[in-house]
Structure formats: structure tokens, C-alpha cells
């Protein structure tokens, strides 16, 4: 039996259990993957100040994100095709997040639908929206998210055009996968995954099928994306969406202080410093590298979250120390899901909680909401 003690262990197991096409989809970055690597690497240069002989009793990781209580300030990031990492993947991840007490964010490009998540959970989840040209489709999606009692809308602004991931093109990524000889040989070595998929009817884009029936594989998705994702998107649209939604609004994909100011002006409740996990603009700065300047520019006016490259509780606390109120994990929970379904997502959250709690203690703190730059070694961060 494999003993799992790190997010990396979950990644290794997921690689064994998930068909290559979908494992590669989760694990890859765009073009040379330099931003994807920088997201992870740049956390390593930041160093802690170790403190000793401080009372460490009664520690707490409880915090809030957009005013909502969280068991720790870590949310599950929106990820497309999550139901292809494991059958009914979005439902399983949402259940694990609900049990743990952290937000789950459902992607527009999910396999399970908004209604599927609502039917299988009892607490509100968050919904991530991509802006498409078909405004009636957007209106309906917003209405469906409201009807499902979603408690925040995460509006992603960094995907008007699609960054190229070479592996996805080579693998012929599609949902459901095409039964080519290469795919069948690969799937023969992943029997758990195949059995799971045979046991579910959810194998395509749950929020889109029936609304955009032409989308079935990666090339038709690309075609639909270039046709539907709105090249003319502007901050005016953000204001319109905020008004239409009427609830908590989180803007995702901010990497620049000037855009952060515009996000504040748009009336958003929070922004996420994010480069889409290194999947869009290759050559962009890492998210943790971009965070301090954005905190300096607008940290007094808006709640700041971040994602990209978080692989441990140590990374979470570094982001908090640099001014993030909350952090999202994408690939870490996908690895957990691919490795062990719902149990794997719970395992991933447990690992991160344990690392976060102990690291906070080593830095001499008992309350995660009190984390600030003082826990970091001067000179090891910007
Ligand atoms: C497989 C995959 C699919 C993603 N799909 C979406 C998506 O549909 N919508 C979105 O806003 N972000 C999407 N993202 C970006 C994530 O929300 C998040 O920004 C990123 O995963 C954070 O980096 P990390 O994976 O290093 O934690 C996706 C990321 C991955 C890895």
C-alpha cells in the first residue's frame, strides 16, 4: 500500500491512475511552461523566521474569505474537466470541501453541472464564470448559479484567448475521450478510472451541453472558445455582471497593479492574483512574485486572494504573509481526486492543514489571521 504524506505523493498516484490525456491536461502549462514552473519555484526562495519558546496552545486556522467563514483560508480553484480526472469528480471534490469547511468553486467548463453540485451538497458553493458572446447564455448561467444558492461568483478575465498546451494537442484531448487505439491501450492500464466512467452518465460539459451542442472535443472546444469567448470583453461588462449577479463578486486573473485598480473600481469584493496556473501567458511573472505589488497598490481597498504553485501549507502561509487573505489550490486537489477520489481530495486538504498549522507554530503564531510579513526573513521576499 502506498503511504501518502505529501501532495507530491498524490501526484505520483494520480499519474498511475488517470489516463494520460487527462493527467497531462491537469499537469501541463502553456508553451515552454516557464510560468508554470516559476509559480512553484518562486515560493522556495521565501524563507521563514523560526521562533521558539512561544505559547503554542489553542491554535486556530479559522478565517474568512469574502466574509464567509472557512476552516482554513484555502479554497478549491475552478478547474475545467474535473469530472475526467475521476468519475463525478466535481461532485466528489465539492463534498470533500464541504466536509472540510472550505469553498469549492465550480468551473463553467465542468463535467458535472451546477445543478449536480447543488443536489449533492448542502452548503453553498462558488461558481466561476467565463464571459461569452452569447449574453443570454451568460444570463442563464448566472440565474442557474443563483438558483443553486451559490454564495460567490468568481469571474475569470484571463481567458479571452487560449494559451496553447502542446500536450493537449498531441494527446487529442476530448471529453469523453475518443476511442483510438492509443487511448484504449492507455485505458487498459487504468481499470479503476474506466469502471468509474462506465458507472456515470456525466462525461461531457455539464453546464454547456444543451446550450452549445457543437462542443464535444478539444478542437471543437477551441473553435467554440474562439467563437464564444468574448474578445471585446471590457470592465463595462464586469459592472454589468456584478449588477446582474447581485452577490459577492471575485475577479480572477489579475497580475498587474493597474488592472487591480480597475478591479477595485468595478466594485468587486475580492480579486485573485492568478496567471491561470501558468496555462495562459507563458513568460508572465509567478503569482507569488506578483502578489506584493498588488497588495501595495490596492490591499487597503479590496480583499486579495492568490493562486498558482501552492503545493503545501508552507506555501499557503507565505502567501498569507505577503498579504493574501485566502489562497486557492488547483492541481493539488486534482491530483488527490485522480489518485483516490473524494478521499484523495480530503487527504490533500488534511496534508495542507497539517503543514499550515505546524509551520504557523514554528513561526511562533497561534492564529492564522495574525500572519503577516513578520514571519518572513527580510531580504528573502519583495
Ligand atoms: C486542469 C486545470 C483546469 C483549469 N480550468 C480553469 C477554469 O475552467 N476556469 C478558471 O478560472 N481557471 C481554471 N484553471 C486555473 C485554476 O483555477 C487556478 O488558477 C490554477 O490551477 C492555480 O494553479 P495551481 O494549479 O498551481 O494551484 C484551471 C487549472 C487547471 C490545472
Amino acid at each position: 500500500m502506498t503511504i501518502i504524506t505529501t501532495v507530491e505523493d498524490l501526484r505520483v498516484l494520480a499519474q498511475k491512475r488517470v489516463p494520460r490525456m487527462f493527467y497531462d491536461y491537469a499537469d501541463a502549462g502553456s508553451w515552454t511552461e516557464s510560468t508554470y514552473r516559476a509559480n512553484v519555484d518562486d515560493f522556495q526562495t521565501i524563507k521563514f523566521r523560526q521562533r521558539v519558546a512561544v505559547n503554542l496552545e489553542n491554535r486556530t486556522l479559522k478565517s474568512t474569505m469574502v466574509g464567509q467563514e472557512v476552516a482554513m483560508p484555502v479554497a478549491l480553484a475552478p478547474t475545467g474537466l474535473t469530472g475526467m480526472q475521476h468519475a463525478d469528480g466535481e461532485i466528489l471534490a465539492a463534498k470533500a470541501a464541504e466536509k472540510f469547511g472550505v469553498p469549492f468553486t465550480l468551473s463553467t467548463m465542468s463535467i458535472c453541472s451546477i445543478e449536480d453540485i447543488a443536489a449533492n451538497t448542502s452548503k453553498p458553493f462558488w461558481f466561476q464564470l467565463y464571459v461569452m458572446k452569447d449574453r443570454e447564455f451568460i444570463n442563464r448561467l448566472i440565474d442557474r448559479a443563483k438558483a443553486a444558492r451559490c454564495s460567490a461568483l468568481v469571474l475569470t478575465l484571463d481567458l479571452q484567448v487560449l494559451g496553447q498546451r502542446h500536450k493537449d494537442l498531441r494527446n487529442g484531448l476530448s471529453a469523453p475521450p475518443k476511442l483510438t487505439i492509443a487511448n484504449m491501450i492507455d485505458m487498459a492500464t487504468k481499470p479503476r478510472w474506466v469502471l468509474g466512467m462506465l458507472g456515470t452518465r456525466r462525461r461531457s460539459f455539464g453546464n454547456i451541453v444543451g446550450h452549445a451542442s457543437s462542443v464535444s472535443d478539444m478542437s471543437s472546444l477551441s473553435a467554440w472558445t474562439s467563437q464564444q469567448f468574448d474578445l471585446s470583453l471590457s470592465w463595462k461588462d464586469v459592472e454589468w455582471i456584478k449588477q446582474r449577479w447581485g452577490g459577492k463578486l471575485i475577479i480572477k486573473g489579475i497580475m498587474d497593479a493597474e488592472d487591480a485598480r480597475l478591479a477595485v473600481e468595478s466594485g468587486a469584493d475580492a480579486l485573485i492574483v492568478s496567471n491561470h496556473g501558468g496555462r495562459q501567458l507563458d513568460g508572465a511573472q509567478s503569482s507569488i512574485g506578483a502578489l506584493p505589488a498588488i497588495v501595495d497598490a490596492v490591499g487597503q481597498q479590496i480583499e486579495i486572494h492568490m493562486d498558482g504553485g501552492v503545493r503545501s501549507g508552507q506555501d499557503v502561509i507565505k502567501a498569507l504573509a505577503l498579504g493574501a487573505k485566502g489562497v486557492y489550490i488547483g492541481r493539488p486537489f486534482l491530483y488527490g481526486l485522480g489518485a483516490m477520489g473524494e478521499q484523495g481530495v480530503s487527504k490533500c486538504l488534511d496534508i495542507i492543514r497539517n503543514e499550515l498549522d505546524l509551520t504557523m507554530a514554528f513561526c511562533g503564531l497561534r492564529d492564522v489571521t495574525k500572519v503577516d510579513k513578520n514571519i518572513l526573513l527580510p531580504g528573502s521576499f519583495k
Side-chain angles (χ1 to χ4, degrees):
M1 221 190 81
T2 327
I3 296 178
I4 305 281
T5 62
T6 62
V7 167
E8 174 62 11
D9 293 339
L10 290 169
R11 187 195 67 73
V12 171
L13 193 54
Q15 193 169 18
K16 285 187 193 142
R17 294 189 170 170
V18 177
R20 196 166 100 192
M21 175 189 295
F22 299 116
Y23 172 81
D24 280 353
Y25 167 68
D27 203 32
S30 55
W31 286 289
T32 68
E33 302 190 328
S34 71
T35 298
Y36 161 82
R37 285 190 299 276
N39 275 348
V40 171
D41 294 347
D42 285 0
F43 272 107
Q44 307 315 314
T45 60
I46 303 169
K47 304 294 173 202
F48 294 115
R49 285 172 63 203
Q50 175 177 299
R51 304 300 305 276
V52 295
V54 181
N55 183 351
L56 298 175
E57 291 169 320
N58 303 322
R59 297 190 301 280
T60 177
L61 298 179
K62 287 200 186 112
S63 188
T64 58
M65 288 171 80
V66 289
Q68 299 172 23
E69 283 183 15
V70 290
M72 66 177 174
V74 176
L76 301 194
T79 51
L81 279 89
T82 302
M84 285 290 136
Q85 302 297 325
H86 190 288
D88 298 336
E90 290 92 354
I91 293 175
L92 301 184
K95 282 183 167 179
E98 175 171 23
K99 285 181 194 154
F100 198 96
V102 292
F104 169 77
T105 318
L106 184 73
S107 164
T108 295
M109 307 309 289
S110 56
I111 300 294
C112 303
S113 67
I114 301 176
E115 292 76 16
D116 285 332
I117 305 302
N120 286 280
T121 53
S122 54
K123 287 191 204 133
F125 56 99
W126 294 356
F127 181 66
Q128 176 266 323
L129 186 71
Y130 281 128
V131 183
M132 288 149 198
K133 280 190 197 147
D134 183 347
R135 294 298 151 91
E136 266 321 297
F137 176 64
I138 298 297
N139 280 335
R140 281 198 302 276
L141 269 181
I142 293 176
D143 291 346
R144 288 166 66 192
K146 281 190 199 175
R149 294 170 290 107
C150 290
S151 56
L153 188 72
V154 175
L155 179 60
T156 301
L157 296 183
D158 63 2
L159 205 127
Q160 281 168 275
V161 291
L162 205 58
Q164 181 171 316
R165 293 183 300 270
H166 304 310
K167 286 176 196 157
D168 291 351
L169 294 175
R170 287 192 199 117
N171 291 336
L173 178 70
S174 66
K178 289 197 187 81
L179 291 181
T180 60
I181 297 204
N183 284 345
M184 288 204 283
I185 292 171
D186 182 38
M187 281 181 209
T189 65
K190 274 95 183 182
R192 279 168 187 262
W193 185 93
V194 173
L195 271 178
M197 282 298 161
L198 290 174
T200 183
R201 59 184 165 78
R202 301 182 185 94
R203 298 192 205 114
S204 197
F205 299 97
N207 293 326
I208 293 171
V209 171
H211 302 273
S213 53
S214 57
V215 177
S216 62
D217 60 14
M218 206 52 199
S219 55
S220 60
L221 179 64
S222 289
W224 188 75
T225 305
S226 51
Q227 206 186 69
Q228 267 303 325
F229 281 56
D230 195 346
L231 292 176
S232 72
L233 178 67
S234 79
W235 288 99
K236 278 255 162 292
D237 299 305
V238 176
E239 283 166 31
W240 160 69
I241 286 165
K242 182 182 160 62
Q243 212 169 21
R244 171 89 198 188
W245 166 245
K248 296 283 182 193
L249 181 71
I250 305 172
I251 305 268
K252 180 170 185 280
I254 300 295
M255 287 292 288
D256 184 90
E258 193 45 43
D259 283 343
R261 284 189 200 101
L262 293 167
V264 171
E265 278 169 28
S266 77
D269 297 278
L271 64 83
I272 312 178
V273 177
S274 172
N275 52 35
H276 217 102
R279 297 163 77 80
Q280 287 290 86
L281 176 61
D282 186 37
Q285 194 181 7
S286 67
S287 300
I288 193 67
L291 178 65
I294 291 177
V295 170
D296 279 351
V298 296
Q300 299 298 321
Q301 291 147 279
I302 192 171
E303 190 167 305
I304 296 180
H305 301 171
M306 72 80 67
D307 74 21
V310 173
R311 297 291 177 271
S312 68
Q314 283 85 5
D315 295 342
V316 173
I317 199 167
K318 286 174 182 174
L320 299 179
L322 290 179
K325 175 90 167 123
V327 162
Y328 298 67
I329 48 169
R331 296 181 184 89
F333 96 81
L334 293 178
Y335 299 148
L337 185 67
M340 298 154 67
E342 180 181 338
Q343 210 196 337
V345 179
S346 301
K347 185 80 192 170
C348 170
L349 290 168
D350 279 338
I351 289 169
I352 288 178
R353 169 170 54 192
N354 196 35
E355 292 165 340
L356 174 58
D357 174 48
L358 294 179
T359 306
M360 181 175 78
F362 280 126
C363 294
L365 282 183
R366 293 192 288 179
D367 179 349
V368 84
T369 64
K370 302 281 189 302
V371 169
D372 64 14
K373 272 186 189 161
N374 281 317
I375 68 161
L376 302 179
L377 190 71
S380 73
F381 60 93
K382 273 188 259 158

